[in-house]
Coordinates of all heavy atoms in Angstrom, one line a residue:
V1 N -233.0 2.4 -63.3 CA -233.9 2.2 -62.2 C -233.3 3.1 -61.1 O -232.2 3.3 -60.9 CB -234.1 0.8 -61.7 CG1 -234.8 0.0 -62.8 CG2 -232.8 0.2 -61.3
N2 N -234.2 3.4 -60.2 CA -233.9 4.0 -58.9 C -233.2 3.1 -58.1 O -233.6 2.0 -57.7 CB -235.1 4.5 -58.1 CG -234.9 5.1 -56.8 OD1 -233.8 5.1 -56.3 ND2 -235.9 5.7 -56.2
Q3 N -231.8 3.3 -57.9 CA -231.0 2.1 -57.2 C -231.5 1.9 -55.7 O -231.0 0.9 -55.2 CB -229.6 2.6 -57.3 CG -229.0 2.6 -58.8 CD -227.6 3.1 -58.8 OE1 -226.9 3.1 -57.9 NE2 -227.1 3.3 -60.0
D4 N -232.2 2.8 -55.3 CA -232.7 2.6 -53.8 C -234.1 2.0 -53.8 O -234.5 1.7 -52.7 CB -232.7 3.9 -53.1 CG -231.3 4.6 -53.0 OD1 -230.3 3.7 -52.7 OD2 -231.2 5.8 -53.2
N5 N -234.8 1.9 -55.0 CA -236.1 1.3 -55.1 C -236.2 0.8 -56.6 O -236.8 1.6 -57.3 CB -237.2 2.3 -54.7 CG -238.6 1.7 -55.0 OD1 -238.6 0.5 -55.2 ND2 -239.6 2.6 -54.9
T6 N -235.7 -0.4 -56.8 CA -235.5 -0.8 -58.3 C -236.7 -1.1 -59.0 O -236.9 -1.5 -60.1 CB -234.7 -2.0 -58.2 OG1 -235.2 -3.1 -57.4 CG2 -233.3 -1.7 -57.8
S7 N -237.9 -0.9 -58.3 CA -239.2 -1.1 -58.9 C -239.8 0.2 -59.7 O -240.8 0.3 -60.3 CB -240.4 -1.5 -58.0 OG -240.6 -0.6 -57.0
S8 N -238.9 1.3 -59.6 CA -239.2 2.5 -60.1 C -238.1 2.9 -61.1 O -236.9 2.6 -60.8 CB -239.1 3.6 -59.1 OG -239.2 4.9 -59.5
Y9 N -238.6 3.4 -62.3 CA -237.6 3.9 -63.4 C -236.9 5.1 -62.9 O -237.4 5.9 -62.1 CB -238.4 4.1 -64.6 CG -238.8 2.9 -65.4 CD1 -240.1 2.5 -65.4 CD2 -237.9 2.1 -66.2 CE1 -240.6 1.4 -66.1 CE2 -238.3 1.1 -67.0 CZ -239.7 0.8 -66.9 OH -240.1 -0.4 -67.5
H10 N -235.7 5.3 -63.4 CA -234.9 6.6 -63.3 C -234.5 7.1 -64.7 O -233.8 6.3 -65.3 CB -233.7 6.3 -62.3 CG -233.2 7.7 -61.9 ND1 -232.0 7.8 -61.0 CD2 -233.4 9.0 -62.1 CE1 -231.8 9.0 -60.7 NE2 -232.6 9.8 -61.5
L11 N -235.1 8.1 -65.2 CA -234.7 8.7 -66.5 C -233.8 9.8 -66.5 O -234.1 10.7 -65.6 CB -236.1 8.9 -67.2 CG -237.2 7.8 -67.3 CD1 -238.4 8.4 -68.0 CD2 -236.7 6.6 -67.9
F12 N -232.9 9.8 -67.4 CA -231.9 11.0 -67.3 C -232.0 11.8 -68.7 O -231.7 11.1 -69.7 CB -230.5 10.4 -67.2 CG -230.2 9.7 -65.8 CD1 -230.7 8.5 -65.5 CD2 -229.4 10.3 -64.8 CE1 -230.6 7.8 -64.4 CE2 -229.3 9.7 -63.6 CZ -229.7 8.5 -63.4
Y13 N -232.2 13.0 -68.7 CA -232.3 13.8 -69.9 C -231.0 14.7 -69.9 O -230.9 15.5 -68.9 CB -233.5 14.6 -70.0 CG -234.7 13.7 -69.9 CD1 -235.5 13.7 -68.7 CD2 -235.2 12.9 -71.0 CE1 -236.7 12.8 -68.6 CE2 -236.4 12.1 -70.9 CZ -237.0 12.1 -69.7 OH -238.2 11.3 -69.6
A14 N -230.3 14.9 -70.9 CA -229.1 15.8 -71.0 C -228.8 16.2 -72.4 O -229.7 16.1 -73.2 CB -228.0 15.0 -70.4
D15 N -227.6 16.7 -72.6 CA -227.3 17.2 -74.0 C -226.9 15.9 -74.7 O -227.1 14.8 -74.4 CB -226.0 18.1 -73.8 CG -224.7 17.5 -73.3 OD1 -224.7 16.4 -72.9 OD2 -223.7 18.2 -73.4
A16 N -226.0 16.1 -75.8 CA -225.9 15.0 -76.8 C -225.0 13.9 -76.2 O -225.2 12.7 -76.6 CB -225.2 15.5 -78.0
V17 N -224.2 14.2 -75.2 CA -223.2 13.2 -74.6 C -223.3 13.1 -73.2 O -222.6 12.3 -72.5 CB -221.8 13.5 -75.0 CG1 -221.6 13.6 -76.5 CG2 -221.4 14.9 -74.5
G18 N -224.4 13.6 -72.5 CA -224.6 13.4 -71.0 C -223.5 14.2 -70.3 O -223.1 13.7 -69.2
T19 N -223.1 15.3 -70.7 CA -222.1 16.1 -70.1 C -222.6 16.5 -68.6 O -223.7 16.9 -68.4 CB -221.9 17.5 -70.8 OG1 -221.5 17.2 -72.2 CG2 -220.8 18.3 -70.1
P20 N -221.8 16.4 -67.7 CA -222.2 16.8 -66.3 C -222.6 18.3 -66.3 O -221.8 19.1 -66.9 CB -220.8 16.7 -65.5 CG -220.1 15.5 -66.1 CD -220.4 15.8 -67.6
G21 N -223.7 18.6 -65.6 CA -224.2 19.8 -65.6 C -225.2 20.2 -66.7 O -225.8 21.3 -66.8
T22 N -225.6 19.1 -67.4 CA -226.7 19.2 -68.4 C -227.9 18.3 -68.1 O -228.8 18.3 -68.9 CB -226.2 19.0 -69.9 OG1 -225.9 17.5 -69.9 CG2 -224.9 19.7 -70.1
D23 N -227.8 17.6 -66.9 CA -228.7 16.5 -66.7 C -229.9 16.7 -65.7 O -229.6 17.1 -64.6 CB -227.7 15.3 -66.2 CG -228.3 14.0 -66.0 OD1 -229.5 13.9 -66.6 OD2 -227.8 13.2 -65.3
M24 N -231.1 16.6 -66.2 CA -232.3 16.6 -65.5 C -232.7 15.2 -65.4 O -233.1 14.6 -66.4 CB -233.3 17.5 -66.1 CG -234.6 17.7 -65.3 SD -234.3 19.0 -64.0 CE -236.0 18.9 -63.2
T25 N -233.0 14.8 -64.1 CA -233.4 13.4 -64.0 C -234.7 13.2 -63.3 O -235.1 14.0 -62.6 CB -232.4 12.5 -63.3 OG1 -232.7 12.4 -61.9 CG2 -231.1 13.0 -63.5
Y26 N -235.6 12.2 -63.6 CA -236.7 11.9 -63.1 C -236.9 10.5 -62.5 O -236.7 9.6 -63.2 CB -238.0 12.2 -64.1 CG -238.4 13.8 -64.2 CD1 -237.6 14.6 -65.0 CD2 -239.3 14.2 -63.4 CE1 -237.9 15.9 -64.9 CE2 -239.6 15.6 -63.4 CZ -238.9 16.5 -64.3 OH -239.3 17.8 -64.2
F27 N -237.5 10.4 -61.3 CA -237.9 9.1 -60.7 C -239.3 9.0 -61.0 O -240.2 9.9 -60.9 CB -237.8 9.2 -59.2 CG -236.4 9.3 -58.8 CD1 -236.0 10.5 -58.0 CD2 -235.4 8.3 -58.9 CE1 -234.8 10.7 -57.6 CE2 -234.1 8.6 -58.4 CZ -233.9 9.7 -57.8
D28 N -239.8 7.8 -61.6 CA -241.1 7.6 -62.1 C -241.8 6.9 -60.8 O -241.5 5.8 -60.5 CB -241.1 6.6 -63.2 CG -242.6 6.1 -63.6 OD1 -243.4 7.1 -63.7 OD2 -242.7 5.0 -64.0
I29 N -242.9 7.7 -60.3 CA -243.6 7.2 -59.1 C -245.0 7.5 -59.5 O -245.6 8.5 -59.4 CB -243.2 8.0 -57.8 CG1 -241.8 7.8 -57.5 CG2 -244.0 7.4 -56.7 CD1 -241.2 8.7 -56.4
P30 N -245.7 6.4 -60.2 CA -247.0 6.6 -60.8 C -248.2 7.2 -59.9 O -249.0 7.8 -60.2 CB -247.3 5.2 -61.3 CG -246.0 4.6 -61.5 CD -245.1 5.1 -60.6

């Protein structure tokens, strides 16, 4: 979740192990 607004999801997309520098994230704001 968005730690500053926990009613919103926070999704993290990355490589196989979540290596720093591979990570695109999205806040879900319908």
